[in-house]
Amino acid sequence: MNRAHTEMPARLARLSGDRATGFLTHGVRAGQEVLPQVAVLRASTPIQDDAARWTVDPVRELMEEAMHRFDPVRTEADAWLAPRLHATLRLTRAEAADAGLWNFLALAVAPDFVLWRHLPRGAADDDAPRRINSARFVGPHYSQAFARLWWSAEMFRDGPDYTPAVIACANQDMINTALRLAAIDHKPTALALVSVLEGLTDDGATRLGDRVNALCTAVNVAGSTLMYEVIAPDDPPRHDARTEWIADAESAPAVPWERLPEGPDDGTARRSSCEVLTRMFERFAAEAPLRDRARSAASQD
């Protein structure tokens, strides 16, 4: 989808899911048709705030750099982009929960990125042309192309340190599965998952994706009876620091490309709690049964 002759909106806006879905024809999702940008913009609702954080250009520049930098292996863009998108779009969680913002990004600002990142590569079958799942444009936070990156950075960062988020986003099974779990709203739980993932990776574990999925399932099941917040207590976030970080967007420079930006300094997780849950989750990872993907595939034939 070529953006060269498309006028870019200057400010972010919101686009409702109902309006957005109407634009997602088969041709658009296959990358064979260009979205009608004038109609998309008319269907959008402006954000009534002239703050610098709603400016489109910094987000667009990030997308273009990611597409240039990671074209050979597109999944690798996630780990680089997630913390930088989060640090560029300085939002409260309530603002980030508004799907209309992500819909607008996907349809009006960077539909080419959505297709670049998620459209299957290779020649399409004549009888079954390759199309992107509409949830990558308009979907829940764990599927939508931009929301999944922002929320991954939010849930897996440790205060201003995005390093755990980079580790999580480097594994597709982690962000595709763990981001669906309510348990990762508890910061020590999220960071313990990252610690176990890092250990498995360092040990050269086989079937890493299966192990991550099995671990997430075990953590979710155990969380129905265990209270991780009681086992591993944590301090509440400092909302004033988040507010200051958002206000600083007015004068903040563009995020760095060669080093990690800094997130809001709203408190780091208790080390002792992270260690308790890491030991527990290591046992889960060692004992959790791995799904037989071959058998599952055969049963669906």
Side-chain angles (χ1 to χ4, degrees):
M1 185 175 292
N2 192 337
R3 305 287 298 184
H5 303 294
T6 303
E7 183 178 352
M8 186 64 53
R11 308 280 295 172
L12 295 172
R14 296 184 177 91
L15 178 63
S16 72
D18 290 343
R19 302 296 295 272
T21 300
F23 296 114
L24 297 178
T25 64
H26 290 323
V28 166
R29 292 192 292 114
Q32 298 169 346
E33 297 176 6
V34 176
L35 280 159
Q37 180 143 22
V38 172
V40 170
L41 294 179
R42 286 176 177 169
S44 303
T45 303
I47 294 173
Q48 301 300 324
D49 181 355
D50 60 1
R53 64 193 177 115
W54 304 115
T55 303
V56 162
D57 284 349
V59 179
R60 181 65 207 178
E61 289 170 4
L62 273 180
M63 300 307 119
E64 291 178 355
E65 177 64 17
M67 289 187 284
H68 170 73
R69 187 176 284 228
F70 297 101
D71 194 56
V73 186
R74 299 180 180 189
T75 54
E76 292 182 359
D78 292 354
W80 183 87
L81 192 52
R84 290 167 177 84
L85 179 64
H86 186 275
T88 298
L89 275 179
R90 300 191 179 196
L91 306 172
T92 66
R93 286 195 175 187
E95 289 170 335
D98 183 351
L101 175 64
W102 308 116
N103 298 341
F104 184 82
L105 273 171
L107 274 75
V109 176
D112 53 338
F113 173 83
V114 181
L115 290 164
W116 173 86
R117 173 61 185 84
H118 294 288
L119 186 66
R121 304 183 79 171
D125 187 298
D126 290 340
D127 296 327
R130 297 182 186 274
R131 299 189 186 100
I132 194 171
N133 190 313
S134 61
R136 298 302 188 184
F137 286 98
V138 181
H141 74 281
Y142 51 80
S143 296
Q144 204 273 350
F146 299 107
R148 68 190 285 272
L149 297 174
W150 193 95
W151 280 103
S152 292
E154 172 68 11
M155 304 309 284
F156 290 111
R157 68 181 173 87
D158 189 16
D161 183 10
Y162 285 115
T163 303
V166 172
I167 296 170
C169 291
N171 183 282
Q172 292 298 301
D173 290 281
M174 177 61 79
I175 58 174
N176 288 339
T177 304
L179 203 58
R180 299 169 182 257
L181 307 181
I184 66 167
D185 192 44
H186 178 236
K187 187 64 70 175
T189 296
L191 295 180
L193 280 170
V194 173
S195 293
V196 176
L197 167 63
E198 190 173 21
L200 290 171
T201 302
D202 290 345
D203 292 341
T206 59
R207 299 180 63 186
L208 183 60
D210 289 340
R211 294 183 187 281
V212 168
N213 283 317
L215 170 62
C216 289
T217 298
V219 168
N220 190 45
V221 171
S224 65
T225 55
L226 298 174
M227 295 186 65
Y228 295 133
E229 296 86 347
V230 175
I231 297 171
D234 197 29
D235 301 315
R238 293 178 47 236
H239 296 295
D240 58 331
R242 180 65 164 255
T243 301
E244 292 173 7
W245 179 73
I246 291 173
D248 286 345
E250 289 301 306
S251 58
V255 295
W257 289 353
E258 304 304 334
R259 59 178 174 80
L260 284 176
E262 291 188 359
D265 192 8
D266 54 358
T268 57
R270 291 190 191 179
R271 297 300 100 186
S272 57
S273 292
C274 292
E275 291 167 1
V276 166
L277 291 183
T278 296
R279 290 193 293 270
M280 178 184 293
F281 294 171
E282 285 173 343
R283 293 195 299 272
F284 289 175
E287 299 169 0
L290 303 185
R291 181 168 64 91
D292 187 339
R293 296 195 183 192
R295 179 177 297 177
S296 297
S299 67
Q300 295 172 4
D301 289 343

